[in-house]
DNA sequence: CGGCATCCAATAGGATACTG
DNA sequence: CAGTATCCTATTGGATGCCG
């Protein structure tokens, strides 16, 4: 992702939720894509979870997508990966503190989604 | 978009911001894509705006993308299109009431984006 | 002026098989 | 068990030109 892509195409002033160098765009890219929300939701519901347990819970996800999504979420600081040197190896994933702040916002957005859906009927 | 796509892959209980039949996913799809936020931001900053004025303000957007994005936003009830039968024709776009509720949420999400960005340094 | 139609490029996502 | 590697498909976005 280049610097240009992070910037909102519109030169935002403080009225705009995008602000100047759009952290809103960044936020949406971090939680965007097909599997990020399902992963965050699973970890939010059940807490610390192992790789294959996640794979079973998130219906339809492949190894490719689960592994790459987990890696991105970890790089973005939303989850932590803990590996235990047992045999066979055990790897656990859990939400970090930044997600504690994210979840209430997503809940508001979900409620907005409900309203939008109703108004279009 | 099929019904299956709207449903969160994880069977959510009320702890989860996704809830059961994920309106959060719907919300993110509505404002997702490359140009939706820039368009919403432009209309939020400057109010009612004409088609070609939007095109000038949103740097890099093509007719194809502007027209299709505007159509989707209108179908989702986020903007209104008003056409005046003058010569040449005048078409204006403006945000609707649902956006008044959306903007404060996006502002929170933007602030969260700032925090996430800082923590990863 | 405000678009739409057509075609093309880029990226996201999926299937399958294999490994430390 | 927890992933990679490779290849393939689908969706998204862009370029160009035309039209009422």
């Amino acid at each position: 992702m280049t610097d240009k892509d992070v910037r909102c195409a519109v030169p935002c002033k403080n009225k705009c939720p995008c602000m100047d160098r759009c952290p809103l765009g960044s936020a949406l890219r971090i939680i965007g894509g097909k599997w990020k929300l399902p992963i965050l939701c699973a970890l939010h519901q059940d807490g610390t979870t192992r790789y294959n347990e996640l794979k079973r819970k998130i219906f339809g996800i492949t190894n490719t997508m689960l592994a790459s999504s987990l890696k991105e979420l970890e790089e973005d600081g939303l989850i932590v990966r803990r590996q235990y040197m047992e045999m066979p190896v055990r790897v656990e994933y859990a939400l970090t503190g930044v997600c504690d702040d994210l979840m209430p916002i997503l809940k508001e957005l979900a409620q907005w989604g409900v309203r939008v859906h109703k108004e279009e009927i």
Side-chain angles (χ1 to χ4, degrees), chain A residues 1-13 15-26 28-29:
Chain A
M1 176 170 41
T2 68
D3 189 71
K4 185 171 167 291
D5 291 324
V6 178
R7 184 188 306 271
C8 182
V10 176
C12 306
K13 293 147 202 159
K15 270 177 61 181
C16 176
C18 276
M19 299 190 241
D20 193 31
R21 309 194 51 194
C22 200
L24 175 55
S26 306
L28 288 176
R29 265 187 298 277

Side-chain angles (χ1 to χ4, degrees), chain A residues 81-108:
Chain A
R81 176 185 186 276
R82 276 187 290 261
Q83 179 169 346
Y84 299 91
M85 283 312 173
E86 306 167 352
M87 191 57 78
V89 292
R90 186 168 102 240
V91 177
E92 293 182 342
Y93 292 91
L95 298 186
T96 63
V98 294
C99 289
D100 297 339
D101 299 334
L102 176 62
M103 292 301 163
I105 301 173
L106 294 186
K107 198 162 270 182
E108 288 185 73

Side-chain angles (χ1 to χ4, degrees), chain A residues 45-108:
Chain A
Q45 277 185 83
D46 303 335
T48 301
T49 310
R50 297 178 64 161
Y51 181 90
N52 272 325
E53 213 180 330
L54 277 175
K55 198 180 161 194
R56 274 189 301 275
K57 286 179 182 174
I58 302 171
F59 182 76
I61 199 168
T62 61
N63 274 327
T64 317
M65 291 313 295
L66 180 54
S68 71
S69 300
L70 286 171
K71 182 169 283 183
E72 287 178 20
L73 287 171
E74 195 197 2
E75 285 170 357
D76 290 327
L78 274 71
I79 65 176
V80 279
R81 176 185 186 276
R82 276 187 290 261
Q83 179 169 346
Y84 299 91
M85 283 312 173
E86 306 167 352
M87 191 57 78
V89 292
R90 186 168 102 240
V91 177
E92 293 182 342
Y93 292 91
L95 298 186
T96 63
V98 294
C99 289
D100 297 339
D101 299 334
L102 176 62
M103 292 301 163
I105 301 173
L106 294 186
K107 198 162 270 182
E108 288 185 73

Side-chain angles (χ1 to χ4, degrees), chain A residues 110-121:
Chain A
Q111 285 159 2
W112 178 84
V114 172
R115 177 180 164 197
V116 171
H117 186 72
K118 277 183 186 151
E119 300 216 349
E120 90 189 9
I121 298 171

